[in-house]
Amino acid sequence: MLELRPYLRLLLRRRGRLLLGIGLMLVTVLAAVGLLAVSGWLITATAVTAALWAAGNRVAFDVYVPGGAIRAFALTRTVARYFERVYNHDTVLRLLADLRSGVFAALTRLDVLAQPRLRDGLLLNRLTADIDALDNLYLRLLAPPLVALLASLAVALLLGWFLPASLLLTLPTLLILLLLTSLVCARHGYADSTRQMALGESLRLRLLEQFQGLAELIAYGALDRHRRWLVEEETDLLAGQRRLGRRLAGYNALVTLVIQTLSVAVLALALQAFQIGELSAALAVFMALAVLGLGEAFAALPAGFIHFGATCAAARRLTEQANRSEPQAVPTTTRLPRTAQLHAESLYFRYPAAETPVLDRVTLTLEPGQRLAISGRSGSGKSTFADLLAGLRRPDSGELLFGGCRVDQLPPDARRARIAYLTQRSDLFAASIADNLRIASSAADRDELWQALHCVDLADWATRLPDGLDTWIGEAGHRISGGQGRRLALARLLLRDPWLVILDEPFAGLDRATINTIGERLDGWLQQRSCIVFCHDTRGVPGLDRVMQLAAGRLHENRP
Amino acid sequence: MTDTSGAAVTDSARVWLHDKARAVRGWLLIATLAGLAGGWLIIAQAGVIASIVAAAISAGVNLDELLPWFAGLGGIIALRAALQWLQETAGLEAGLRVRRQTRAELLEHSARLGPVRLSAYHSAELAGQLLEHSEALHGYFARFMPQMVLAAAIPLSILLVVARLDWLAAVFLLASAPLIPLFMSLIGMGAERLNRRQFETLARLAGTFLDRVRGLATLQLFGHAERSIDEVARAADDYRRRSMRTLRVAFLSSAVLEFFAAVAIATVAIYIGFALLGFIEFGPAPQLTLFSGLFILLLAPEFFQPLRNLAQHYHDRAAALAAGDILLDLLRQPAAATPITTSNAHTAVRLTGVSVSHPGRGRVLGPLSLDIAAGQFVVIDGPSGAGKSTLLQLVAGFVSPDDGHCHRPDSFAWLDQRPFLLHGSVADNLRLAAATATDDALYAALREVGLTDWLERQPRGLATPIDERGSGISGGQAQRLALARVFLSAAPLVLLDEPSAHLDAHSEAHVLRSLQALAAQGRTLLVASHHAAVHELADRRIQLDAGQLIEGHGGHA
């Protein structure tokens, strides 16, 4: 329950909209109650009047007021329902926008340490599923019980006004039903609905394994064994769904049972009052039918609350995700670097779960304008070292100074302006080529973009595209080849004016000829800048001053 | 996709859904009958309530004498609740069973498709589709199918009862009824289109969001993260505006249905009122009583309720059809037939006049014939696109030849560029190849690929967890772990597709040593590689060019 608090607070930012939406829902329910109850009143009243007329009593009866009321309720019900649906769906979609940007904003404040995990596709899928689960917080869990409560109070009080004794019957019954269909129902489904997500996730994993490993599973004759695991997990998942579904059916039946029985009880009570002359016949029927009309207010409650556990679990995971690591350190220095000298002193870094450090007392000095290549076998920690140098990770001990200032204490803007970093993975976005480039420099004009593309040998290709720079490259750049994506990421860097350039495997997936072309063109841009390149193969990097090797956490100078 | 082909696919999805329904006919029948009985009980309940009211008010019967009637009413209500439960749980059962059966069918079929055909799909997406689209079938069987019968049968039953009580009131109800199918179809068409579009835009929206989250580090490096928050918000808001436009239309058409229902109820109520007062001399009106009037009034909303429920469940149908389309697309992919014949002891692999073509690419391999003696280490070389991988896939049986025959041993081991790792421990991953292997055997296999040093550094040893991305171990280590499986399996034939690509020098050396060890065990190795070091180890080199065989000279064959 507590885990929902931040999301409820987010909802309440649109308090006005929520209240209006709930108001419209209430009007819809009350119009339905009114339509049924007044119709019953009219029929009974006319029957009684007709009997009196037959007996010779000339009492007056105005049929037009109730007739008008019936027509008004019929119209109100339709119109209110239409506007309620339009308005509330609009609200839900607005909340979805709030939630998405809120979660994203929380993620952007994260320490980068937490970010490598964000690349995991399964985790991302879960993130969207969790957000979807919270989208409907208002329409499934917040508004319906409130509407049921208000409608119950309104009807119970109205009936109590006609017949005070009925209040003792209707109010407690309706409140208990509300309690049963919300809180009790939520508790009843909590354990199973909380587990559903985890079960679904592990089934998804097994499916993924079967698809990705099909060749090996077939080759080793392990397909049937794997399939049995899969079926076991599915059985577990379906058993939980079955339990939840049966309970839900039970609560739905309970709503019918209680509302119908209450209506009959109210009828009995009211008819009794009629027979002792305390209540008119028409009002007696009115009261019974009003309770019957209330059923609609309770109908949607169990379906929302039986999955309450899943909603809470989604909220919990989302919050955890956003709080996984401490927020980015606030810069503590206002001093800015004056030179591009990089000095690492006895850097030590170990992943929490690992036994051996990635960097073990590494010391390195890079003078302004120098070009250094660091090679090492895969898994030796090159990318981690690059992250450290760029200030994306903090060393466990040791000091990293850039122009005499500690890199991790530089204001982020100052650090970004002076140090450019090409990460090992090309992060491309579902946008045009131009927009992907402009992430680096929103003010860049088209000439500058073309120039950057020329430098990475993509200009000819881009010229031939029908949409040129405006070509859409698809989600994560899936519509262009890996090599083109790599070069596009490199081109992005060229739009900046850094003092230090850190490149992690800049030429991965490129053929020799292209590497040579790019190397030559890059040379000019790299003049007057310091550069550290991490790669397997140092060929193609122009004008290297030094080559070093990273192995077992230590850095060695390569002697030619 | 054009509209016409879209309609055609939906047609076949409809047929497919009907076939699925046959398997759960029993449950659907129970759900329908329970719903029908519940509907008839509603009629009975309305009749009893009207009788009680008429007796108490018009006839002045004392409530005590009406006690049996109240008791009957209580029984009807209890039975109604029980039937409602039965209808819902029977529908649930039908939905659960269809989903389980569909998933089994899809799994079966995807295995039959084989890894090559399956590689046309993005595996994570496929897993998601299998899971979510089979879930999307639920509502159609659990709710929509029973409701389709109820939406016809219950209003008809009510109409018959009302007609017996007062045919004019029945005419009022009926007058709005012909409009209902019209609006239903309008809503239905709208809902289907809406659902499809909703699926698409929601997927695109999620894509934009995920894209930004995935690349967050880069956005921050360029100081662009703040601006991306706005972009995410703007994308979601665009989505809202676009979907509201369609939603408004959909809601309007259902509002019209509701409007007719409400007007019909109001008309019936006012007609009965006027008739009771004696203002209407026409037809059956003078015979109306409090009993028949109230009875009709109570039935009027129930006349429309099943139709409203059906309209509500219409999106279940649309979702199931959309999901069926996508699942059928997968199920219709022809499976790879594997006419593999077992080879004899001396010739491990024999290909006679085989050729392979891929749709859209034409012939990619052959026709060629090839004999590989048992125990040979054969390397396949050639430029990319020459058919190296296809040759291996053909021998494995993952693609079927257009012509010719393929003989190979029954069991074989397989490893390609991307090693496959299970979500489980190191031991789980190794035992994939040999379910009953002892720990000692596992250690021995790890020694062959040079992973013992690494394993000794892991506090949990063989129980060290490997997650599905192989995180925690490097790409080279993952490749060697997969290679260790080959040592555990007794397969006489080993098929390897570029086993040393993307590896650093250290891992590569280990892989080469392992290949040598496998050859020394007397296994037949067929390796696609253009790596000089691998070529040196091989007994024989086969050169492929544009799918044609140009036999090279082996090392020392």
Side-chain angles (χ1 to χ4, degrees):
Chain A
M1 192 68 204
L2 281 178
E3 49 269 62
L4 290 178
R5 248 167 58 199
Y7 304 97
L8 287 175
R9 214 172 299 138
L10 195 71
L11 287 185
L12 288 181
R13 288 216 312 242
R14 299 194 182 268
R15 215 169 292 138
R17 279 198 80 86
L18 302 191
L19 286 179
L20 189 51
I22 288 173
L24 282 168
M25 286 167 92
L26 190 63
V27 169
T28 310
V29 170
L30 291 180
V33 169
L35 178 61
L36 201 56
V38 174
S39 300
W41 182 91
L42 175 73
I43 289 173
T44 318
T46 49
V48 171
T49 310
L52 288 175
W53 287 353
N57 276 328
R58 299 307 318 169
V59 290
F61 185 80
D62 180 8
V63 79
Y64 294 102
V65 173
I70 288 169
R71 275 190 294 260
F73 279 130
L75 198 66
T76 309
R77 177 181 162 68
T78 314
V79 172
R81 187 158 174 75
Y82 171 73
F83 281 108
E84 178 263 306
R85 289 175 81 181
V86 169
Y87 191 78
N88 280 332
H89 273 81
D90 191 53
T91 305
V92 165
L93 290 172
R94 277 172 205 267
L95 293 174
L96 177 135
D98 288 355
L99 204 58
R100 284 241 158 99
S101 52
V103 169
F104 187 77
L107 290 176
T108 60
R109 284 191 295 272
L110 271 192
D111 197 24
V112 269
L113 282 175
Q115 288 180 358
R117 267 197 320 275
L118 293 180
R119 291 184 172 156
D120 190 324
L122 289 170
L123 188 135
L124 287 178
N125 276 341
R126 214 176 67 184
L127 199 66
T128 23
D130 286 345
I131 292 178
D132 286 343
L134 287 171
D135 280 344
N136 279 323
L137 196 60
Y138 162 65
L139 263 195
R140 284 192 300 120
L141 294 177
L142 207 60
L146 258 173
V147 171
L149 178 68
L150 293 174
S152 297
L153 285 177
V155 170
L157 289 175
L158 181 68
L159 301 193
W161 190 51
F162 296 141
L163 184 66
S166 72
L167 206 56
L168 288 176
L169 180 65
T170 53
L171 205 55
T173 312
L174 289 172
L175 291 182
I176 288 171
L177 182 64
L178 182 58
L179 207 66
L180 283 174
T181 49
S182 55
L183 294 184
V184 175
C185 177
R187 230 189 121 71
H188 204 173
Y190 196 87
D192 268 318
S193 74
T194 311
R195 273 190 72 217
Q196 281 292 302
M197 191 69 137
L199 289 174
E201 263 332 295
S202 75
L203 184 59
R204 189 191 296 268
L205 267 179
R206 291 277 172 242
L207 282 169
L208 204 58
E209 281 172 9
Q210 160 134 14
F211 297 142
Q212 285 176 343
L214 194 55
E216 274 156 282
L217 289 171
I218 291 176
Y220 293 122
L223 201 56
D224 282 338
R225 202 152 16 107
H226 192 266
R227 178 74 177 277
R228 270 199 302 279
W229 283 351
L230 224 154
V231 169
E232 266 170 43
E233 305 213 331
E234 194 198 11
T235 308
D236 227 15
L237 180 81
L238 291 182
Q241 288 182 350
R242 178 176 291 121
R243 274 195 298 275
L244 281 175
R246 290 211 170 141
R247 282 177 201 164
L248 175 60
Y251 281 100
N252 284 336
L254 183 76
V255 171
T256 305
L257 189 69
V258 172
I259 292 289
Q260 302 285 333
T261 310
L262 183 64
S263 152
V264 172
V266 167
L267 181 67
L269 203 67
L271 285 179
Q272 207 169 28
F274 157 73
Q275 289 191 338
I276 55 173
E278 278 181 7
L279 199 70
S280 74
L283 271 180
V285 173
F286 176 97
M287 286 175 64
L289 293 190
V291 173
L292 219 50
L294 259 186
E296 200 178 288
F298 287 88
L301 283 176
F305 278 93
I306 199 88
H307 294 114
F308 185 70
T311 310
C312 286
R316 208 160 37 231
R317 267 192 306 267
L318 218 48
T319 311
E320 258 169 37
Q321 192 58 51
N323 298 340
R324 191 65 65 91
S325 82
E326 70 229 77
Q328 286 174 346
V330 182
T332 48
T333 174
T334 50
R335 210 157 60 87
L336 294 179
R338 290 171 180 277
T339 73
Q341 194 212 42
L342 184 79
H343 178 69
E345 182 64 50
S346 205
L347 290 184
Y348 184 92
F349 183 87
R350 188 174 64 86
Y351 282 102
E355 291 252 301
T356 49
V358 180
L359 297 177
D360 189 5
R361 286 160 292 156
V362 167
T363 297
L364 168 73
T365 304
L366 186 74
E367 295 303 335
Q370 271 194 335
R371 289 185 203 171
L372 163 69
I374 297 177
S375 65
R377 58 191 219 220
S378 68
S380 62
K382 295 193 297 291
S383 296
T384 311
F385 193 15
D387 280 354
L388 268 162
L389 291 176
L392 293 188
R393 292 179 193 278
R394 266 183 294 278
D396 298 330
S397 66
E399 217 174 25
L400 183 64
L401 300 173
F402 182 64
C405 304
R406 280 187 54 169
V407 168
D408 56 356
Q409 287 180 352
L410 281 177
D413 284 343
R415 192 176 67 219
R416 286 175 203 136
R418 286 168 181 76
I419 304 177
Y421 177 28
L422 177 69
T423 50
Q424 191 181 23
R425 221 184 88 133
S426 330
D427 283 322
L428 299 173
F429 302 93
S432 64
I433 292 176
D435 285 343
N436 265 289
L437 289 172
R438 285 201 175 110
I439 283 170
S441 162
S442 47
D445 61 34
R446 290 178 92 82
D447 284 346
E448 288 171 295
L449 301 187
W450 280 113
Q451 181 124 33
L453 288 178
H454 170 73
C455 198
V456 296
D457 202 21
L458 277 181
D460 290 345
W461 164 76
T463 317
R464 283 195 305 272
L465 294 171
D467 292 331
L469 287 178
D470 297 321
T471 303
W472 186 261
I473 64 166
E475 190 182 329
H478 281 326
R479 290 202 193 161
I480 59 176
S481 82
Q484 286 164 342
R486 194 67 196 143
R487 288 186 273 165
L488 199 56
L490 183 59
R492 205 151 51 183
L493 231 56
L494 304 180
L495 292 167
R496 309 209 27 123
D497 187 19
W499 297 0
L500 169 65
V501 183
I502 301 169
L503 304 173
D504 190 0
E505 298 287 0
F507 303 135
L510 301 184
D511 60 83
R512 180 58 49 205
T514 312
I515 293 175
N516 289 338
T517 311
I518 297 176
E520 280 165 27
R521 294 180 186 172
L522 214 53
D523 193 42
W525 183 73
L526 282 177
Q527 299 291 328
Q528 313 300 319
R529 304 178 206 276
S530 311
C531 176
I532 304 179
V533 185
F534 291 86
C535 51
H536 276 124
D537 184 351
T538 55
R539 284 179 298 172
V541 186
L544 281 176
D545 297 303
R546 293 156 76 191
V547 177
M548 297 180 94
Q549 183 107 30
L550 184 66
R554 310 301 294 258
L555 203 55
H556 309 278
E557 195 92 27
N558 262 18
R559 304 264 167 249
Chain B
M1 192 185 285
T2 65
D3 269 338
T4 48
S5 71
V9 177
T10 307
D11 265 342
S12 55
R14 203 170 295 146
V15 173
W16 182 71
L17 287 176
H18 272 288
D19 280 349
K20 290 264 157 285
R22 213 163 295 152
V24 289
R25 216 170 10 190
W27 290 108
L28 289 175
L29 193 66
I30 295 177
T32 311
L33 289 179
L36 210 53
W40 288 332
L41 282 179
I42 290 177
I43 300 176
Q45 186 187 347
V48 175
I49 290 178
S51 305
I52 290 176
V53 170
I57 293 173
S58 300
V61 179
N62 200 299
L63 274 193
D64 294 342
E65 290 168 45
L66 291 173
L67 219 54
W69 288 90
F70 276 107
L73 205 49
I76 289 174
I77 290 170
L79 201 55
R80 252 186 79 183
L83 285 168
Q84 187 187 343
W85 184 86
L86 185 63
Q87 181 190 347
E88 224 178 301
T89 44
L92 173 76
E93 206 53 48
L96 287 172
R97 274 157 201 259
V98 167
R99 272 143 69 201
R100 149 167 271 169
Q101 199 233 329
T102 304
R103 270 202 282 263
E105 191 180 330
L106 285 163
L107 269 180
E108 189 76 35
H109 191 74
S110 63
R112 266 203 310 265
L113 280 182
V116 175
R117 294 248 161 92
L118 213 56
S119 67
Y121 299 87
H122 187 284
S123 55
E125 227 165 73
L126 194 61
Q129 280 188 356
L130 244 176
L131 219 52
E132 277 125 37
H133 290 309
S134 54
E135 292 294 303
L137 299 179
H138 182 78
Y140 180 75
F141 296 96
R143 296 182 288 262
F144 184 80
M145 289 201 76
Q147 195 60 39
M148 234 164 52
V149 179
L150 300 182
I154 294 178
L156 196 67
S157 308
I158 290 178
L159 201 66
L160 288 176
V161 173
V162 172
R164 272 191 67 87
L165 293 167
D166 185 305
W167 62 263
L168 204 53
V171 169
F172 285 131
L173 290 182
L174 201 58
S176 62
L179 292 168
I180 289 165
L182 181 71
F183 284 109
M184 292 297 295
S185 64
L186 274 180
I187 294 166
M189 284 189 290
E192 234 168 273
R193 213 180 35 229
L194 192 73
N195 237 57
R196 217 170 283 259
R197 207 179 296 174
Q198 202 85 342
F199 265 153
E200 281 168 26
T201 39
L202 206 55
R204 206 174 309 146
L205 184 63
T208 316
F209 175 73
L210 290 184
D211 213 46
R212 301 293 191 273
V213 175
R214 215 182 280 129
L216 197 54
T218 297
L219 292 173
Q220 281 182 340
L221 275 174
F222 290 115
H224 198 270
E226 293 295 322
R227 216 164 320 141
S228 292
I229 300 176
D230 294 341
E231 283 169 16
V232 167
R234 211 168 331 118
D237 207 51
D238 271 356
Y239 167 70
R240 175 184 66 83
R241 240 182 303 247
R242 250 177 305 138
S243 45
M244 278 319 291
R245 226 174 290 150
T246 33
L247 277 176
R248 243 175 241 130
V249 178
F251 290 156
L252 193 62
S253 48
S254 70
V256 172
L257 171 66
E258 297 231 2
F259 177 71
F260 276 93
V263 165
I265 296 169
T267 310
V268 166
I270 293 167
Y271 156 73
I272 294 170
F274 275 79
L276 285 175
L277 286 175
F279 291 174
I280 302 174
E281 299 286 340
F282 176 74
Q287 276 82 50
L288 265 176
T289 60
L290 179 56
F291 164 73
S292 57
L294 200 58
F295 196 1
I296 293 170
L297 177 72
L298 286 171
L299 287 180
E302 299 300 338
F303 177 76
F304 295 99
Q305 194 56 45
L307 292 162
R308 282 174 60 195
N309 289 347
L310 188 67
Q312 246 175 37
H313 299 328
Y314 222 94
H315 74 262
D316 285 330
R317 176 179 177 273
L321 282 176
D325 267 0
I326 294 163
L327 296 179
L328 260 183
D329 180 50
L330 183 67
L331 288 171
R332 292 253 169 92
Q333 296 293 323
T338 48
I340 298 281
T341 333
T342 308
S343 53
N344 63 36
H346 300 292
T347 314
V349 175
R350 166 167 289 172
L351 303 176
T352 25
V354 290
S355 63
V356 176
S357 51
H358 284 318
R361 283 172 55 196
R363 179 177 290 175
V364 290
L365 187 72
L368 60 82
S369 296
L370 175 68
D371 274 6
I372 293 170
Q376 256 191 341
F377 184 151
V378 180
V379 64
I380 313 167
D381 192 14
S384 73
K388 298 192 295 291
S389 300
T390 309
L391 181 59
L392 286 176
Q393 289 157 355
L394 175 70
V395 174
F398 298 157
V399 295
S400 41
D402 305 333
D403 287 307
H405 294 284
C406 176
H407 302 259
R408 68 149 159 82
D410 269 338
S411 69
F412 67 97
W414 173 272
L415 183 67
D416 62 28
Q417 294 179 41
R418 289 169 307 139
F420 159 64
L421 295 180
L422 277 178
H423 188 76
S425 65
V426 170
D428 288 340
N429 267 287
L430 292 176
R431 289 210 172 97
L432 187 81
T436 54
T438 60
D439 281 3
D440 285 343
L442 302 189
Y443 278 117
L446 287 170
R447 199 168 312 122
E448 297 283 4
V449 294
L451 278 179
T452 21
D453 287 351
W454 168 76
L455 196 73
E456 271 161 20
R457 286 200 304 273
Q458 307 303 316
R460 298 179 61 189
L462 285 173
T464 301
I466 305 280
D467 76 20
E468 72 284 0
R469 298 284 148 121
S471 74
I473 61 175
S474 73
Q477 286 165 338
Q479 183 74 326
R480 278 144 67 194
L481 193 58
L483 194 58
R485 284 189 198 131
V486 180
F487 284 94
L488 281 168
S489 86
L493 173 66
V494 181
L495 304 174
L496 302 159
D497 194 357
E498 303 274 7
S500 58
H502 307 309
L503 293 187
D504 58 78
H506 178 82
S507 285
E508 187 190 297
H510 272 294
V511 168
L512 289 174
R513 222 168 301 145
S514 308
L515 295 183
Q516 233 169 343
L518 283 171
Q521 288 178 354
R523 306 211 208 189
T524 313
L525 265 67
L526 191 51
V527 184
S529 172
H530 34 226
H531 213 126
V534 179
H535 289 205
E536 274 172 32
L537 292 176
D539 302 323
R540 179 177 167 196
R541 200 179 114 201
I542 292 169
Q543 179 83 28
L544 278 179
D545 194 19
Q548 293 298 318
L549 201 62
I550 309 164
E551 186 94 15
H553 24 270
H556 41 82

